[in-house]
Amino acid sequence: MARKQTTKTAVKKSTPAKRTAKKATVEASLTTEPGEEIVKEEIAKETEKPEGADAVKAEAPEEKKTTKRAAAKKTTAIKKTTTRKTTRKKAEPAEKEAEEVKAEEPKAEEVKEEKPEEVKEEAVVEVKEEPVVEEAPVEETKEEPAAEEAPVEETKEEPAAEEAPVEETKEEPAAEEAPVEETKEEPATEEAPAEETKEAPAEEVKEEPKQEVYMSPRRSIAFIGSECYPFVKTGGLGDVMYALPKALVKQNCDVKVIIPRYKCIPQKYQEKMVYKGSFQMNLCADGRSYYVGIMEYVWDGVVYDFIDNEEFFSSGNPYTNLIDDIPKYCYFAKAALAALNYLNWVPDIIHCHDWQAALVPVYLRTLFENTKLTTAKTILTIHNLRFQGIYNIPTIRYWSGLPDYVFNKDALKVNYNDANMLKGGLAYANIITTVSNTYAGEIQTAYYGEKLDAHLRHHWRKLRGIVNGIDYDIWNTSTDSRLYANYDITNVLEKKRENKRKLQEELGLVQDDHKFVIGLISRLTDQKGLDLVNTILRQVMDEHTQFVVLGTGDDVYENSFRYYENAYKGNVCSNIMYDETRAHRIYAGADALLVPSQFEPCGLTQLIAMHYGTIPIVRETGGLKDTVEPYNMFTNTGNGFTFDRYDAGLLLDAINRAKTLFFTNRWCWDEMVQRDMDKNFSWENSAKQYKELYLELTR
């Protein structure tokens, strides 16, 4: 096999030699016999290409042994390529030779059948050259006449044409001994395209791995909740209602999101909504009915259906006061199921969120038990157990129209005369989920249970915890247009300093790279640990520290942070508002983010902070404990600083430990920054866990 490849190389090298000696070759071809022309041309090749001298010497004696017919055949091929490169004035001899080729083509078949001895001589003697030379004319006449005309150009365009014969010689090493089989190799040139056609499906197969996310069975899910980004958002629920359905679409799920059509939804989304229908729905215990309109908007593979009713959803904010919110969300829970019936869309799973949608499982097992929707399974997710929708039984009974038997101590009833909408949903749902494993355990205790701990312990078998994720399409340091400078894990140390200086400049702080900047982005309430911060902030502030607050909430905290800004001008900035752009810039520009929550079901701020290379300082509770590993100075591991008991002194200690590492072991701090950025906090992992839960529930 090696011998054949060597010969082929020699032949290739001899082809350019034809250009330099083409005049002598052509003139000789007109006056000499075919055999003499070969000898002269080979001599010309030898003088022109000393590298191929050995090959020419080997060929010269062998040519004498060939018959006139074989020599003429070879000469014809050589003339054919030579005359194409010469001027058209000498085209007539080429035409004559072409006629000889046509005359000899049927004789090639005779060689196969009548004169095997001559073929054997050619096959044995011309081992180095003949198989290649014979194949080349065949390819020229049938497929690639220009293959040898421009060898320099065509070697780039037609590598496969020259590789095909090599593959054939590899496949049939016995071709030298059986020339008949060699002549049968010619049809293999027709098989070469067949091999190329096989490559096309191979490319399609390479594209198919994109479908790996569709390996699990398909499921349809209806999300029902009170808010969804970007239409309306007041907290983490809005982020989950947007990001989780989008991630589930990639897990082979059909997803429909149902939310109220609030007046505060931006007009740019209102204009894109499509009217899908309307109907009257009986709601109240006395048979009073209300209009239900359905407006639809499709985005990122998710279908958003908005329940339209001006009487309930005309206010500027989604939540006003409990007196107004109880009728509003009784109507919404029932209207969402009625809309699914109207649209004739029966999901495998109905996934409800918080107390505003908690009556959906109750309605499904009572007033909708004889509809097509009764085949659906229900999941109720607790995002914050503190808010439960508690009001007196007569009011909720009237506005919900639910039967009396659901208002018992095992379902909706609490205390003596109150109904708890969240409690009823927990009782009737097939599965209860929380947004972290730790929080799922905490809410079964009296300290975190918000008076539902006994009820949750009773239903512990259907209680699960799945940590939230963050949307990398929104929170991405390399593409975030709100940042002063984009960055990734490769240049985070340099670019974070730039973002830090720009943040200090924008907020009116002293511009100093050596300042330790602590950020706090939160609702200003007791739940978020603001009472602890208020207690220790004077001890935290020194000439090396700066503090930035962003958020709104209770007046006591808003006013206290305004005071600190005046007391520590140039080092404290209190932004008593919520600004999305400023939030992104604080995440990127701060050195550490403070999350000292009294309780935290999951928390997204610490996940965003770590993804942006900002070290979290958190209390070990709920999702904060599940996502932040405490730093270990002895092993240089961990991704944040934590404290366990809800105590101001422990918070101060955690902040001081972070400052000490920042100023004394900066290389350890920088390594932690890069570790945090390297962690995966996307919704992909969470969506896979939810998909497994859906499959488990619908087997």
Side-chain angles (χ1 to χ4, degrees):
M1 301 306 299
R3 294 172 62 194
K4 288 189 177 183
Q5 292 173 356
T6 305
T7 306
K8 185 175 181 181
T9 306
V11 174
K12 285 184 180 178
K13 289 181 179 180
S14 66
T15 305
K18 294 178 185 178
R19 295 179 176 174
T20 57
K22 60 186 176 182
K23 290 183 179 180
T25 304
V26 173
E27 290 173 4
S29 66
L30 298 174
T31 56
T32 60
E33 293 292 327
E36 294 175 1
E37 180 190 341
I38 295 169
V39 175
K40 289 182 180 181
E41 186 171 347
E42 296 298 338
I43 292 171
K45 290 180 185 176
E46 184 176 358
T47 57
E48 207 53 39
K49 294 281 183 179
E51 299 156 349
D54 294 337
V56 174
K57 287 176 184 179
E59 290 169 6
E62 290 167 0
E63 289 294 336
K64 294 177 182 180
K65 296 180 181 181
T66 58
T67 61
K68 275 189 176 183
R69 183 177 298 163
K73 185 176 181 181
K74 181 175 177 184
T75 304
T76 307
I78 295 171
K79 281 184 179 182
K80 198 170 184 182
T81 56
T82 305
T83 51
R84 286 173 185 163
K85 298 174 186 176
T86 56
T87 59
R88 293 184 178 179
K89 294 178 181 180
K90 298 181 180 181
E92 294 179 3
E95 291 176 3
K96 293 177 181 180
E97 295 298 331
E99 292 176 3
E100 291 178 16
V101 171
K102 291 179 182 178
E104 289 182 4
E105 281 178 356
K107 293 179 182 181
E109 298 178 0
E110 296 175 3
V111 173
K112 296 177 186 177
E113 299 176 1
E114 297 176 3
K115 297 185 179 181
E117 294 178 0
E118 292 180 3
V119 178
K120 284 182 182 177
E121 288 179 4
E122 292 177 6
V124 173
V125 176
E126 311 224 353
V127 169
K128 297 181 181 178
E129 178 184 27
E130 198 59 20
V132 178
V133 176
E134 286 184 2
E135 290 172 2
V138 174
E139 292 179 0
E140 286 181 299
T141 54
K142 291 185 179 180
E143 294 180 358
E144 300 175 357
E148 294 185 1
E149 289 179 9
V152 178
E153 297 176 1
E154 293 297 321
T155 49
K156 295 180 181 178
E157 296 178 3
E158 302 285 342
E162 295 180 0
E163 289 174 9
V166 176
E167 291 176 2
E168 290 168 8
T169 54
K170 289 180 181 178
E171 290 173 3
E172 307 206 13
E176 296 177 4
E177 298 176 3
V180 176
E181 292 181 3
E182 280 188 14
T183 56
K184 290 181 181 178
E185 284 184 11
E186 295 177 3
T189 57
E190 298 177 0
E191 293 177 3
E195 292 177 2
E196 293 176 2
T197 55
K198 290 178 183 177
E199 290 176 3
E203 291 177 0
E204 292 177 1
V205 172
K206 289 179 183 177
E207 294 176 358
E208 285 179 2
K210 294 179 181 178
Q211 305 296 326
E212 286 180 0
V213 292
Y214 296 171
M215 295 301 290
S216 59
R218 195 168 185 83
R219 291 292 182 270
S220 55
I221 302 97
F223 276 71
I224 302 177
S226 58
E227 59 183 80
C228 178
Y229 174 88
F231 311 108
V232 58
K233 172 189 169 183
T234 63
L237 172 60
D239 291 321
V240 174
M241 288 284 289
Y242 163 72
L244 180 55
K246 191 172 70 168
L248 285 170
V249 168
K250 299 177 182 178
Q251 299 295 326
N252 197 22
C253 291
D254 288 326
V255 186
K256 185 186 290 288
V257 176
I258 303 177
I259 63 172
R261 187 190 182 190
Y262 300 109
K263 199 78 170 179
C264 61
I265 294 176
Q267 190 62 29
K268 63 180 180 179
Y269 299 117
Q270 300 264 16
E271 293 171 352
K272 295 178 182 178
M273 296 179 185
V274 178
Y275 174 75
K276 302 298 290 185
S278 62
F279 54 90
Q280 291 291 322
M281 178 187 71
N282 292 331
L283 177 65
C284 302
D286 61 1
R288 185 177 176 184
S289 64
Y290 286 88
Y291 166 86
V292 178
I294 305 171
M295 305 295 291
E296 191 167 277
Y297 178 70
V298 181
W299 185 31
D300 279 348
V302 180
V303 178
Y304 297 89
D305 283 338
F306 299 85
I307 302 301
D308 183 29
N309 185 289
E310 287 288 331
E311 186 171 346
F312 288 113
F313 305 126
S314 60
S315 60
N317 298 314
Y319 316 118
T320 52
N321 57 76
L322 200 57
I323 296 175
D324 293 330
D325 287 349
I326 291 295
K328 179 193 303 181
Y329 292 112
C330 286
Y331 163 84
F332 171 65
K334 188 173 184 180
L337 291 176
L340 290 174
N341 256 339
Y342 178 84
L343 296 172
N344 198 27
W345 198 80
V346 181
D348 298 307
I349 302 288
I350 298 177
H351 195 157
C352 315
H353 298 264
D354 274 351
W355 75 268
Q356 294 90 349
L359 287 186
V360 170
V362 184
Y363 277 122
L364 190 63
R365 303 300 172 222
T366 55
L367 301 182
F368 286 80
E369 63 181 348
N370 294 322
T371 67
K372 292 177 287 186
L373 293 176
T374 192
T375 59
K377 304 294 184 181
T378 55
I379 295 177
L380 178 58
T381 296
I382 303 170
H383 294 269
N384 193 331
L385 190 60
R386 176 164 288 186
F387 307 103
Q388 301 176 9
I390 301 174
Y391 211 69
N392 63 73
I393 290 177
T395 300
I396 294 181
R397 179 191 286 128
Y398 172 79
W399 282 106
S400 67
L402 288 167
D404 291 341
Y405 63 82
V406 302
F407 295 93
N408 63 75
K409 64 178 182 178
D410 294 325
L412 273 78
K413 186 177 181 180
V414 293
N415 304 325
Y416 292 101
N417 195 36
D418 288 337
N420 185 324
M421 295 169 66
L422 181 62
K423 182 185 177 185
L426 297 175
Y428 279 88
N430 297 107
I431 290 289
I432 304 167
T433 67
T434 64
V435 287
S436 70
N437 284 317
T438 298
Y439 191 62
E442 287 176 343
I443 60 178
Q444 298 181 57
T445 66
Y447 184 79
Y448 294 98
E450 302 290 345
K451 299 182 180 180
L452 285 180
D453 53 294
H455 188 66
L456 288 164
R457 287 196 299 272
H458 178 72
H459 294 284
W460 68 272
R461 287 183 179 84
K462 58 183 184 181
L463 184 58
R464 314 290 174 82
I466 300 176
V467 176
N468 287 339
I470 56 176
D471 188 350
Y472 277 12
D473 292 338
I474 299 172
W475 302 102
N476 190 332
T477 57
S478 60
T479 60
D480 192 342
S481 60
R482 291 185 165 99
L483 303 187
Y484 302 110
N486 293 110
Y487 58 94
D488 54 31
I489 193 172
T490 62
N491 59 359
V492 56
L493 303 179
E494 176 188 350
K495 293 298 183 180
K496 269 192 74 70
R497 283 194 293 270
E498 182 179 344
N499 279 283
K500 181 177 177 177
R501 287 193 298 270
K502 293 288 188 180
L503 179 67
Q504 291 170 330
E505 181 182 356
E506 180 180 338
L507 300 182
L509 302 176
V510 176
Q511 296 183 54
D512 187 349
D513 289 346
H514 300 288
K515 294 279 189 178
F516 184 68
V517 178
I518 302 173
L520 191 151
I521 303 172
S522 172
R523 286 185 293 109
L524 306 181
T525 63
D526 287 340
Q527 178 208 331
K528 298 297 183 179
L530 272 298
D531 55 334
L532 301 184
V533 177
N534 205 14
T535 302
I536 58 111
L537 193 56
R538 291 180 182 85
Q539 297 168 272
V540 172
M541 294 307 302
D542 55 33
E543 66 273 18
H544 306 295
T545 307
Q546 292 179 336
F547 195 79
V548 178
V549 179
L550 176 65
T552 60
D554 299 343
D555 290 341
V556 61
Y557 298 121
E558 290 184 356
N559 294 330
S560 66
F561 286 122
R562 289 190 182 102
Y563 164 79
Y564 288 125
E565 181 175 1
N566 292 325
Y568 300 96
K569 287 185 178 178
N571 287 316
V572 173
C573 181
S574 299
N575 303 276
I576 308 305
M577 59 179 181
Y578 187 78
D579 184 284
E580 191 72 21
T581 298
R582 186 156 294 183
H584 284 241
R585 292 176 176 177
I586 293 173
Y587 282 124
D591 296 301
L593 189 83
L594 203 58
V595 195
S597 301
Q598 183 179 1
F599 67 93
E600 193 66 61
C602 177
L604 297 179
T605 55
Q606 82 279 9
L607 301 180
I608 298 168
M610 288 188 283
H611 189 54
Y612 274 54
T614 302
I615 304 302
I617 302 173
V618 306
R619 179 170 174 256
E620 295 176 4
T621 181
L624 301 176
K625 184 177 181 179
D626 289 348
T627 56
V628 179
E629 179 188 353
Y631 177 72
N632 187 322
M633 61 181 295
F634 301 104
T635 59
N636 190 31
T637 57
N639 57 352
F641 295 88
T642 68
F643 64 102
D644 51 5
R645 288 183 292 108
Y646 191 71
D647 180 84
L650 295 179
L651 171 60
L652 179 61
D653 177 68
I655 294 173
N656 287 336
R657 282 187 279 121
K659 290 169 68 175
T660 301
L661 186 70
F662 180 83
F663 288 115
T664 62
N665 289 306
R666 189 58 181 271
W667 67 274
C668 292
W669 180 276
D670 292 343
E671 281 187 354
M672 184 162 30
V673 167
Q674 292 173 323
R675 278 199 303 274
D676 285 1
M677 287 199 71
D678 196 42
K679 291 176 70 70
N680 183 5
F681 299 110
S682 71
W683 268 105
E684 182 182 357
N685 294 332
S686 303
K688 287 179 180 177
Q689 295 180 61
Y690 275 110
K691 179 64 181 295
E692 290 172 2
L693 182 60
Y694 298 153
L695 294 175
E696 176 187 339
L697 194 57
T698 55
R699 280 175 186 154

